[in-house]
Amino acid sequence: MSYVPATLRRVVTQRAGEQCEYCRFPQTASLFAFEMEHIIAEKHDGVTEAENLALSCPCCNRFKGTDLGSIDPETGQLTPFFNPRLQEWSEHFRLEGGVIVPRTPEGRVTAKILQFNLLERILEREQLISMGQ
Ligand SMILES: [Zn+2]
């Protein structure tokens, strides 16, 4: 994995509003440092530039790995993940309590592979909501 210079990390972190760009978990509420995620992995010739980087919580980054998409469980079609550089989160997902509900094929494969709705992740979100964050 390429080194991401501090200035670029700052740009990506601020642009993301210090939230994971996939599951929207706030960095300030996490015990772990968020990561620079290559939207298109370096393995697939993704570059280390702001346009290809997203701020990601360690959970989302680990589950996404170098994948670019998956098979949509509803249509059986090969579908790319939600791309935070090209797409609006609220067009692809909505929050229902602590559950992230996908609205689109891209939302479905992203929520499934990044495991947005593991029980402990839902409980963490519900806790944040109850604290008004
Ligand atoms: Zn996340």
Side-chain angles (χ1 to χ4, degrees):
M1 201 191 301
S2 286
Y3 170 74
V4 180
T7 47
L8 184 52
R9 292 180 69 89
R10 256 195 308 279
V11 166
V12 172
T13 302
Q14 285 173 3
R15 180 181 61 193
E18 297 192 59
Q19 288 184 322
C20 174
E21 295 191 72
Y22 294 101
C23 74
R24 292 257 167 127
F25 200 82
Q27 184 166 28
T28 51
S30 175
L31 294 175
F32 304 100
F34 280 14
E35 299 165 356
M36 294 291 112
E37 198 272 321
H38 284 76
I39 296 167
I40 297 175
E42 293 178 286
K43 174 182 174 179
H44 302 293
D45 296 331
V47 292
T48 303
E49 291 175 1
E51 302 73 50
N52 189 44
L53 291 172
L55 186 67
S56 175
C57 71
C59 247
C60 287
N61 200 13
R62 184 177 35 144
F63 289 128
K64 181 173 176 285
T66 60
D67 293 356
L68 303 174
S70 186
I71 308 295
D72 178 8
E74 275 188 28
T75 65
Q77 297 293 304
L78 181 61
T79 305
F81 289 138
F82 163 72
N83 182 325
R85 294 285 68 76
L86 304 175
Q87 298 168 317
E88 284 295 320
W89 195 90
S90 59
E91 286 177 17
H92 294 273
F93 310 98
R94 71 174 191 277
L95 199 56
E96 234 177 69
V99 176
I100 296 174
V101 180
R103 298 170 178 263
T104 61
E106 291 89 344
R108 283 194 293 272
V109 294
T110 305
K112 177 183 162 201
I113 299 299
L114 277 58
Q115 303 198 30
F116 283 172
N117 295 311
L118 285 177
L119 182 59
E120 65 260 29
R121 299 184 81 183
I122 293 172
L123 294 175
E124 268 185 330
R125 272 182 227 121
E126 285 176 346
Q127 196 174 15
L128 278 182
I129 292 165
S130 73
M131 295 187 311
Q133 290 204 33

